[in-house]
C-alpha cells in the first residue's frame, strides 16, 4: 500500500468527553533525540472501550505505555506535558508509581503467565500487596477468572501450571491477573495479535463484558476488531493524534481525509 501523501492536518478531536477518567494534555515523548509523540491531547471516557489505531511506528503503543508510566523503564525516554488519571497528575514527582500500575493495569501483546499455578498467577498481585488470607484470595481468584471468562474452563485445575494452558487461555489468565488487584483502567497492547480466530473472539467477548466495570484502552492493528469492540477510536500517524471520535462515526463518516484513507485501506 502507498504511504499517505502530504502533511498531517491539525488534530481534529471532535469527541467531547464529560468527566474523563484519563486526560492527556500536550504530551510529547522523546527517546533520546528521537521524538515519538507530538503534543497529544486526548480524553478517555470511563467504562468504555477506546481503541488506538494507526500504522506501525505511529506512536500508539508509546502513548499506551505512557498511561501507566511503563516508559519510565526506558532510560532514554523523557516526556513533556501532562497525564491525569482520576484528576491526579501521574507524572508529579511525588506520585506513587506502584499504586499507579495497580490502578492502571497492562495486558501485553504476548501472554506472559508466571511459571506458577493458575491460582497463584491470579493471586500474585494481592500477595505482593500483603494479602494472604485464604478466604480473600479464593474469592478474588474466582471473581477475576469469571470476569475474564476463564473460570468454567479451569475451576477444576487451579493447581495446574499456567504454562499448560492454550495461548488464548493464557491471555485470559493474564487479564484475570490484572483484574485481581481491582484496577480502574486496563490497557491492552494488541492482546489478540498472537491468537487464532476462535481465541480472538473469546478475548473480544471478554473485553465487551469488562467495560461494564472497567475502562479499557486497546491498541490494535486490526481495524475490524476496533470497529467491533470499541466505543471510541483514536487514529495516530507519525506520532500525532489525527482524529478521535465515536467509533461508528470514525469508520463511516470520518472528518479528515487521512482518517478515511486509513480506515478504507488506502494506506497502512
Amino acid at each position: 500500500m502507498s504511504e499517505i501523501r502530504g502533511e498531517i492536518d491539525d488534530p481534529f478531536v471532535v469527541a467531547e468527553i464529560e468527566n474523563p477518567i484519563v486526560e492527556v494534555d500536550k504530551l510529547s515523548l522523546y527517546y533520546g533525540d528521537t521524538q515519538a509523540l507530538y503534543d497529544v491531547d486526548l480524553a478517555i471516557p470511563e467504562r468504555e472501550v477506546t481503541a488506538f489505531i494507526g500504522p506501525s511506528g505511529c506512536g500508539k503503543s508509546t502513548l499506551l505505555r505512557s498511561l501507566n508510566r511503563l516508559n519510565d523503564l526506558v532510560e532514554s525516554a523523557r516526556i513533556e506535558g501532562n497525564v491525569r488519571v482520576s484528576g491526579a497528575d501521574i507524572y508529579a514527582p511525588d506520585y506513587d508509581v506502584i499504586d499507579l500500575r495497580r490502578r492502571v493495569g497492562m495486558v501485553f501483546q504476548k501472554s506472559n503467565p508466571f511459571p506458577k499455578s493458575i491460582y497463584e498467577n491470579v493471586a500474585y498481585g494481592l500477595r505482593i500487596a500483603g494479602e494472604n488470607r485464604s478466604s480473600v484470595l479464593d474469592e478474588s481468584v474466582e471473581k477475576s477468572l469469571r470476569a475474564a471468562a476463564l473460570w468454567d474452563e479451569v475451576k477444576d485445575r487451579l493447581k495446574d501450571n499456567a504454562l499448560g494452558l492454550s495461548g488464548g487461555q493464557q491471555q485470559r489468565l493474564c487479564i484475570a491477573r490484572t483484574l485481581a488487584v481491582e484496577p480502574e483502567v486496563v490497557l491492552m497492547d494488541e492482546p489478540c495479535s498472537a491468537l487464532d480466530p476462535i481465541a480472538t473472539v473469546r478475548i473480544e467477548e471478554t473485553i465487551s463484558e469488562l467495560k461494564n466495570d472497567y475502562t479499557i484502552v486497546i491498541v490494535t492493528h486490526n481495524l475490524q476488531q476496533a470497529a467491533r469492540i470499541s466505543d471510541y477510536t483514536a487514529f495516530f500517524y507519525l506520532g500525532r493524534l489525527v482524529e478521535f471520535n465515536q467509533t461508528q462515526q470514525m469508520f463511516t463518516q470520518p472528518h479528515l481525509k487521512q482518517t478515511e484513507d486509513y480506515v478504507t485501506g488506502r494506506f497502512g
Side-chain angles (χ1 to χ4, degrees):
M1 295 182 182
S2 61
E3 283 294 318
I4 190 170
R5 299 178 185 275
E7 295 297 321
I8 291 295
D9 295 337
D10 289 336
F12 195 97
V13 181
V14 294
E16 294 185 6
I17 307 299
E18 295 185 4
N19 302 316
I21 188 169
V22 178
E23 299 166 274
V24 180
D25 291 331
K26 301 298 180 189
L27 183 71
S28 294
L29 187 142
Y30 303 80
Y31 294 118
D33 296 329
T34 302
Q35 188 166 359
L37 293 174
Y38 296 81
D39 294 323
V40 175
D41 283 308
L42 183 64
I44 295 175
E46 188 172 16
R47 296 191 181 184
E48 303 276 14
V49 178
T50 298
F52 291 175
I53 63 171
S56 296
C58 69
K60 54 190 184 296
S61 290
T62 296
L63 178 60
L64 192 78
R65 293 168 63 89
S66 299
L67 303 184
N68 70 346
R69 291 183 56 173
L70 280 181
N71 286 313
D72 288 12
L73 303 176
V74 181
E75 187 175 344
S76 63
R78 63 184 176 88
I79 75 148
E80 298 171 356
N82 295 291
V83 178
R84 294 186 297 278
V85 176
S86 297
D89 179 3
I90 68 171
Y91 282 92
D94 59 346
Y95 197 89
D96 186 340
V97 179
I98 294 175
D99 182 61
L100 171 67
R101 291 176 185 155
R102 181 197 64 77
R103 296 172 59 209
V104 183
M106 173 73 87
V107 177
F108 295 94
Q109 180 175 357
K110 189 178 186 303
S111 59
N112 57 344
F114 302 135
K116 301 174 178 285
S117 70
I118 295 168
Y119 182 99
E120 288 300 332
N121 264 269
V122 182
Y124 181 82
L126 293 171
R127 289 198 190 277
I128 290 294
E131 181 58 74
N132 287 304
R133 290 172 292 176
S134 295
S135 59
V136 174
L137 295 176
D138 290 350
E139 181 180 356
S140 177
V141 167
E142 179 175 349
K143 178 182 176 182
S144 302
L145 288 170
R146 285 189 183 279
L150 190 57
W151 173 254
D152 289 340
E153 297 171 42
V154 302
K155 62 184 178 182
D156 296 325
R157 48 184 179 133
L158 295 177
K159 294 182 181 180
D160 290 359
N161 194 305
L163 300 181
L165 296 174
S166 69
Q169 289 174 325
Q170 287 187 15
Q171 192 64 297
R172 280 182 283 147
L173 178 66
C174 292
I175 293 173
R177 187 175 65 196
T178 300
L179 299 181
V181 295
E182 298 185 347
E184 299 170 43
V185 181
V186 178
L187 311 177
M188 297 186 176
D189 194 357
E190 297 190 64
C192 302
S193 64
L195 303 180
D196 62 60
I198 294 175
T200 295
V201 169
R202 296 301 304 274
I203 297 292
E204 291 182 359
E205 290 172 346
T206 300
I207 291 170
S208 296
E209 289 292 323
L210 289 177
K211 76 175 183 180
N212 293 319
D213 298 300
Y214 305 93
T215 300
I216 310 292
V217 185
I218 180 171
V219 165
T220 180
H221 276 106
N222 187 326
L223 297 182
Q224 290 78 19
Q225 182 175 78
R228 283 193 299 266
I229 67 172
S230 68
D231 302 288
Y232 288 82
T233 297
F235 168 49
F236 295 86
Y237 187 69
L238 298 178
R240 301 180 188 276
L241 175 63
V242 178
E243 188 166 347
F244 173 61
N245 207 339
Q246 293 182 12
T247 295
Q248 184 176 5
Q249 177 83 23
M250 285 279 286
F251 279 88
T252 58
Q253 294 180 304
H255 285 263
L256 297 180
K257 187 176 187 303
Q258 290 94 335
T259 309
E260 181 181 358
D261 286 348
Y262 185 73
V263 300
T264 56
R266 292 182 188 142
F267 84 98

